């Protein structure tokens, strides 16, 4: 059991066990007499010691020793040396018993009792624990006792976690070599899969192995905005005349712009001490980094800080960002970010020379086609993993071997799904531009086949198809440029058109951080999950999708730059019961509601439209389209104008007074 062999006893071992039983019965008889008569002499206590050395599970003997200790402490002078001698003897007896059985409940509880007397060194206890945990790292008695010991110290939970993870990782490094073991496990699971293809257990294990092959334990910085070598134009609210199409123009009423870091896994510890900024931009000392979205958690893939600038002070600034030069960035699984990265960009601060435009934003006119041969895109986005120097050789070889193996498997649903996943994994590891993206057509066809073969899981395959398509779009500058435009009426905003593509999920946003205008109309989207990372987004078209409530737009609350939103012709308000509503907690439970003018004046409407209220009140919209939804009407329009006081255009009509 538990990997411990059980061997048949030898004759001499059986004889020794029988003699031990005779001795145990003799000791127990005499011990029980002492216990009943409350005899706590040195001889009686020594007898209990011998009993516990033979049988550490004798609970009555442990309880007897507690009574004996209390009796002896009550009869001696309050001499610290005498007290220490008595308690040291108890610790010695416990340690001796644990050497006989290091999973003895009674022994561990007795040791806790001794420590509760304020005795023993915590350092000694931790050293003892290390010995027992090396014997068996699964010993939950030792882990439970460790929690008790740590609580007696001033060590923080973070420090204790760091100590434990360092120890466990060291053991893992000594005992498990993934580049050797995982390929061996692939060979092992093949025999199960090809022998009995209908048995799901082998397929599930294969999927887990694929995850282990792809997952790099240490976190990596995937992308950033601004990207390395890019140039951006900063100004106050409004428009600039003659804005260059070669640069990203960022206009802000608050005089700040977002600095975005996107990691391949959720991390914590991003702060002014772990990310340093070297720039002449004033007022950015002690920069505050925030996880996006911040759902009472201090770990996230996306971290944002806002750099201040003064638009009335035109100048050119070089900004250098160093990520991870100081330790502290740690993944949610406890691994340190150990691939420091540095990137530099240029910020051109301009004064606003024209008044802010209040004209309506059109999604059909005013666009210029992106020059596919232009090198502008290279200054906007880093399409490859920033830490590409990581060694993926054994992982690539393992994936290539699996693709070759499953490519000859007879047609089956699980076989097609596994092959699609393997090909996606292969694409994720390709760094050569010449062969990047060659598998996406096959992947998309596999998911099309699966949607036709297995209608019960249609939506899952549809979502995976959408993610694969977006990976294809963002796989190279050439493919991405086919969907890019410039909106000349608003500082040549970078617009990405992904309309009429039957998309049901959003993906690859880490490669789209530079996008300012996004057209996702005429798709099959149910939510905006993922868009919270696109902090530059100022215009978003979600018309003609399958959004059922404003709760599905909750991620947009974190996009502070958003000014134009089109959610017309969706399904908002059509369904009387919509579980996505509960993604937003009711504003009626928010103590701040009493300070809100809308809540005071129209509590009934806030209750009726609370999910819309929860999302819209955090946005700074100037243009909103909601026509074509069940919820649209005079009452809701009036409510929206109260919740979003800066709104200028609603359903194509200019607000009175503007």
């Amino acid at each position: 059991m538990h990997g411990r062999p059980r061997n048949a006893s030898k004759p001499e071992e059986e004889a020794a066990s029988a003699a031990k039983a005779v001795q145990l019965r003799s000791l127990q008889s005499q011990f029980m007499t002492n216990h009943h008569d409350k005899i706590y002499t040195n001889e009686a206590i020594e007898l209990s010691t011998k009993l516990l050395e033979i049988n550490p599970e004798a609970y009555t003997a442990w309880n007897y020793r507690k009574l004996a200790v209390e009796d002896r402490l009550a009869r001696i002078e309050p001499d610290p040396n005498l007290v220490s001698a008595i308690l040291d003897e108890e610790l010695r007896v416990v340690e001796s018993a644990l050497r006989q059985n290091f999973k003895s409940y009674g022994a561990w509880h007795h040791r806790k009792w001794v420590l509760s007397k304020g005795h023993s060194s915590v350092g000694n206890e931790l050293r003892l624990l290390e010995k027992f945990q090396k014997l068996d790292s699964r010993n939950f008695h030792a882990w439970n006792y460790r929690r008790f010991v740590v609580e007696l110290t001033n060590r923080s939970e973070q420090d204790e976690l760091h100590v434990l993870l360092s120890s466990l990782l060291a053991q893992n490094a000594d005992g498990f070599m993934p580049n050797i073991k995982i390929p061996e496990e692939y060979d092992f699971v093949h025999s199960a899969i090809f022998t009995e293809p209908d048995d799901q257990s082998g397929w599930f294990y294969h999927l887990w192995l694929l995850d282990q092959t792809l997952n790099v334990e240490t976190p990596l910085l995937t992308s950033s905005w601004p990207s390395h070598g890019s140039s951006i134009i900063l100004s106050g609210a409004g428009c600039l005349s003659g804005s260059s199409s070669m640069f990203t123009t960022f206009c802000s009423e608050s005089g700040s712009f977002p600095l975005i870091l996107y990691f391949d896994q959720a991390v914590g510890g991003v702060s002014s001490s772990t990310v340093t900024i070297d720039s002449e931009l004033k007022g950015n000392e002690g920069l505050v980094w925030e996880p996006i979205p911040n759902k009472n958690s201090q770990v996230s893939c996306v971290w944002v800080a806002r750099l201040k600038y003064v638009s009335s002070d035109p100048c050119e600034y070089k900004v250098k960002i160093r990520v991870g030069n100081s330790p502290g960035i740690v993944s949610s699984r406890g691994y340190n970010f150990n691939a420091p990265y540095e990137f530099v960009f240029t910020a051109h601060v301009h004064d606003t020379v024209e008044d802010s435009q209040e004209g309506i934003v059109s999604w059909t006119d005013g666009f210029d086609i992106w020059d596919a041969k232009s090198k502008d895109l290279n200054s906007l986005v880093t399409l490859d993993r920033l830490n590409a120097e990581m060694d993926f050789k054994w992982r690539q070889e393992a994936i290539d071997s699996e693709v070759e193996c499953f490519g000859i498997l007879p047609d089956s649903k699980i076989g097609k799904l596994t092959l699609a996943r393997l090909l996606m994994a292969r694409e994720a590891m390709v760094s050569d531009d010449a062969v990047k993206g060659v598998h996406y057509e096959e992947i998309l066809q596999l998911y099309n086949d699966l949607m036709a073969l297995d209608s019960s899981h249609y939506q899952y395959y549809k979502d995976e198809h959408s993610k694969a398509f977006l990976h294809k779009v963002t796989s190279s500058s050439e493919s991405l440029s086919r969907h890019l435009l410039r909106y000349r009426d608003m500082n040549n905003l970078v617009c990405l058109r992904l309309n009429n593509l039957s998309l049901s999920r959003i993906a690859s946003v880490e490669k789209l951080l530079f996008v300012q205008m996004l057209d996702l109309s005429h798709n099959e989207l149910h939510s905006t999950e993922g868009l919270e990372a696109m902090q530059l987004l100022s215009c978003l078209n979600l018309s003609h999708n399958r959004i059922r409530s404003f709760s599905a737009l909750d991620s947009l609350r974190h996009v502070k730059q958003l000014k134009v939103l089109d959610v017309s012709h969706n399904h908002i308000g059509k369904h009387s019961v919509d579980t996505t509503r509960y993604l937003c907690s009711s504003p009626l439970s928010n103590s701040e509601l009493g300070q809100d003018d809308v809540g005071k004046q129209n509590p009934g409407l806030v209750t009726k439209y609370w999910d819309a209220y929860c999302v819209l009140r955090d946005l700074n919209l100037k243009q909103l389209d909601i026509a074509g939804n069940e919820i649209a009407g005079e009452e809701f329009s009036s409510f929206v104008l109260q919740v979003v006081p800066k709104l200028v255009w609603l359903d194509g009509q200019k607000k009175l007074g503007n």
Side-chain angles (χ1 to χ4, degrees):
M1 182 178 289
H2 303 302
R4 307 300 183 197
R6 295 288 188 267
N7 300 319
S9 300
K10 298 178 181 179
E12 57 269 24
E13 292 174 340
E14 291 181 355
S17 179
K20 182 179 178 181
V22 172
Q23 183 185 11
L24 182 61
R25 283 193 292 271
S26 174
L27 288 172
Q28 282 180 328
S29 176
Q30 192 173 353
F31 163 75
M32 292 304 295
T33 300
N34 292 337
H35 184 34
H36 289 153
D37 295 340
K38 298 181 180 180
I39 299 173
Y40 303 125
T41 62
N42 290 338
E43 293 77 11
I45 294 173
E46 180 61 26
L47 183 71
S48 69
T49 301
K50 293 179 180 179
L51 176 61
L52 288 168
E53 287 176 350
I54 298 174
N55 180 19
E57 294 299 327
Y59 281 92
T60 305
W62 291 116
N63 291 333
Y64 168 82
R65 293 191 71 89
K66 291 182 178 67
L67 295 172
V69 168
E70 295 287 5
D71 179 76
R72 295 176 71 184
L73 292 177
R75 288 189 287 107
I76 64 172
E77 296 293 331
D79 184 345
N81 292 329
L82 292 176
V83 172
S84 179
I86 292 172
L87 296 178
D88 279 341
E89 174 63 16
E90 293 305 302
L91 293 176
R92 187 196 65 77
V93 172
V94 171
E95 186 171 347
S96 176
L98 288 174
R99 293 186 188 282
Q100 293 292 324
N101 179 11
F102 55 77
K103 294 185 178 181
S104 169
Y105 285 87
W108 286 112
H109 281 295
H110 193 69
R111 199 168 187 92
K112 279 186 180 181
W113 180 80
V114 174
L115 257 68
S116 69
K117 295 288 185 182
H119 187 64
S120 185
S121 162
V122 171
N124 289 338
E125 297 304 304
L126 291 175
R127 282 190 289 273
L128 178 67
L129 278 167
E130 287 179 5
K131 293 179 182 179
F132 285 119
Q133 287 175 318
K134 282 182 179 179
L135 291 173
D136 186 357
S137 61
R138 301 165 299 179
N139 186 348
F140 71 87
H141 303 275
W143 285 113
N144 188 45
Y145 184 70
R146 187 183 186 101
R147 289 170 55 195
F148 171 77
V149 172
V150 170
E151 287 175 0
L152 299 178
T153 71
N154 293 323
R155 180 184 290 180
S156 68
E157 293 180 359
Q158 290 78 10
D159 289 342
E160 171 65 4
L161 181 62
H162 177 73
V163 171
L164 288 177
L165 286 172
S166 298
S167 174
L168 292 173
L169 289 174
Q171 295 176 31
N172 180 66
D174 292 337
F176 180 71
M177 301 295 288
N179 57 325
I180 297 175
K181 190 62 179 176
I182 288 180
E184 290 178 355
E185 289 300 295
Y186 275 124
D187 292 337
F188 173 77
V189 78
H190 287 166
S191 60
I193 289 175
F194 290 103
T195 301
E196 192 61 53
D198 294 330
D199 187 345
Q200 295 183 359
S201 58
W203 294 103
F204 283 130
Y205 185 60
H206 187 275
L207 178 59
W208 180 84
L209 282 176
L210 179 58
D211 287 339
Q212 304 314 302
T213 307
L214 293 176
N215 290 339
V216 179
E217 293 175 339
T218 56
L220 301 174
L221 184 63
T222 305
S223 61
S224 70
W225 191 88
S227 59
H228 180 60
S230 64
S231 294
I232 60 174
I233 296 177
L234 305 173
S235 76
C239 296
L240 300 173
S241 61
S243 176
S244 171
S245 64
M246 293 184 63
F247 302 143
T248 298
T249 301
F250 188 88
C251 303
S252 171
E253 297 176 358
S254 63
S256 65
F257 68 97
L259 179 61
I260 311 169
L261 300 179
Y262 200 113
F263 295 87
D264 69 332
Q265 55 187 285
V267 299
V270 179
S271 66
S272 57
S273 61
T274 55
V275 180
T276 59
I277 299 176
D278 184 6
S279 170
E280 295 180 358
L281 287 170
K282 299 177 181 178
N284 291 303
E285 299 79 12
L287 208 60
V288 176
W289 288 88
E290 297 179 349
I292 302 293
N294 184 1
K295 296 182 178 178
N296 299 319
S297 173
Q298 288 303 307
V299 295
S300 176
C301 292
V302 186
W303 286 81
V304 176
R306 302 193 181 274
L307 272 67
K308 299 177 183 177
Y309 63 92
V310 180
S311 60
S312 59
D313 185 19
C315 196
E316 177 180 309
Y317 301 95
K318 287 285 186 182
V319 182
K320 181 184 292 185
I321 312 294
R322 297 184 181 90
V323 183
N325 276 358
S326 299
I329 299 178
V330 183
S331 74
S332 57
R333 296 184 295 166
Y335 293 95
N336 291 312
F337 177 80
N338 57 12
Y341 184 78
E342 178 179 299
F343 60 98
V344 181
F345 62 91
T346 304
H348 304 266
V349 179
H350 287 197
D351 194 6
T352 306
V353 297
E354 293 184 11
D355 293 334
S356 177
Q357 289 187 346
E358 298 293 353
I360 193 168
V361 172
S362 170
W363 290 96
T364 56
D365 302 318
F367 292 92
D368 293 326
I369 297 175
W370 193 284
D371 183 1
K373 297 181 180 180
S374 170
K375 296 183 179 180
D376 293 355
L377 189 57
N378 295 329
S379 67
L380 294 177
V381 61
T382 303
L383 290 175
D384 295 320
R385 183 174 293 204
L386 296 182
N387 302 104
E389 67 272 12
M390 298 296 292
D391 180 20
F392 292 117
K393 184 177 179 181
W394 76 265
R395 303 174 193 272
Q396 290 173 329
E397 291 175 350
I399 296 298
D400 288 345
S401 176
E402 291 303 292
V403 169
E404 182 178 354
C405 178
F406 282 89
I408 61 174
L409 190 71
D411 281 354
S412 69
K413 290 184 293 185
I414 191 67
K416 286 179 178 290
L417 180 59
T418 300
L419 182 57
R421 287 168 171 166
L422 287 168
L423 291 173
M424 283 292 291
R426 176 185 273 180
E427 284 291 346
M429 293 185 179
V430 171
S431 58
D432 186 353
D433 290 339
V435 295
K436 187 180 294 184
V438 297
H439 300 292
Y440 282 118
E441 289 302 326
E442 183 179 358
I443 295 168
L444 294 173
Q445 185 57 52
L446 285 168
Y447 282 120
N448 282 330
D449 293 344
L450 286 166
M451 283 186 274
L453 284 171
D454 186 7
S455 59
S456 61
H457 297 98
Y458 176 88
Q459 191 58 52
Y460 171 78
Y461 301 135
K462 180 67 176 175
D463 289 348
E464 293 300 304
H465 184 281
S466 297
K467 290 191 284 187
F469 180 83
L470 289 173
H471 279 292
K472 175 187 176 183
V473 168
T474 59
S475 63
S476 69
S477 298
E478 181 182 358
S479 60
L480 184 56
S481 64
R482 299 190 192 109
H483 299 268
L484 288 174
L485 301 165
R486 288 279 192 179
Y487 189 54
R488 58 178 177 270
D489 292 342
M490 289 180 64
N491 298 317
N492 284 307
L493 290 185
V494 180
C495 177
L496 177 65
R497 280 203 186 277
L498 296 172
N499 57 323
N500 284 298
L501 296 173
S502 298
L503 298 176
S504 61
R505 284 289 297 271
I506 298 167
S508 297
V509 291
E510 71 276 8
K511 298 178 181 178
L512 304 174
L513 301 181
F514 66 97
V515 173
Q516 298 167 290
M517 198 170 183
L518 179 60
D519 186 357
L520 289 168
S521 62
H522 296 274
N523 281 300
E524 300 173 20
L525 296 170
H526 293 83
S527 81
T528 58
E529 182 182 0
L531 293 184
E532 64 274 7
M534 300 176 66
Q535 291 288 301
L536 270 66
L537 202 60
S538 61
C539 303
L540 176 61
N541 188 354
L542 292 167
S543 64
H544 297 276
N545 274 278
R546 297 181 180 179
I547 296 169
R548 299 174 60 176
S549 75
F550 276 92
S551 298
L553 308 176
D554 184 65
S555 62
L556 299 182
R557 295 168 53 233
H558 306 284
V559 185
K560 302 302 181 183
Q561 193 67 12
L562 191 63
K563 297 293 187 292
V564 176
L565 176 62
D566 187 347
V567 289
S568 62
H569 302 284
N570 274 275
H571 302 165
I572 301 175
K574 182 177 181 180
H575 303 275
S576 57
V577 178
D578 183 4
T579 55
T580 60
R581 285 173 59 94
Y582 302 102
L583 294 174
C584 289
S585 59
S586 171
L588 296 177
S589 64
N590 193 327
S591 59
E592 297 178 358
L593 184 61
Q595 307 300 321
D596 189 295
D597 290 338
V598 179
K600 291 178 180 179
Q601 296 171 9
N602 296 292
L605 290 179
V606 170
T607 302
K608 184 177 181 180
Y609 302 121
W610 64 261
D611 54 341
Y613 172 79
C614 185
V615 173
L616 293 177
R617 67 173 179 168
D618 288 337
L619 298 178
N620 192 24
L621 296 176
K622 293 189 176 181
Q623 179 177 324
L624 175 65
D625 290 276
I626 55 175
N629 287 285
E630 194 75 21
I631 200 173
E634 186 175 338
E635 181 184 73
F636 184 69
S637 296
S638 175
F639 176 70
V640 167
L641 292 173
Q642 296 177 58
V643 177
V644 192
K646 293 186 178 181
L647 199 64
V648 178
W649 296 91
L650 179 60
D651 290 329
Q653 300 297 316
K654 196 168 186 178
K655 179 181 174 182
L656 294 178
N658 286 279

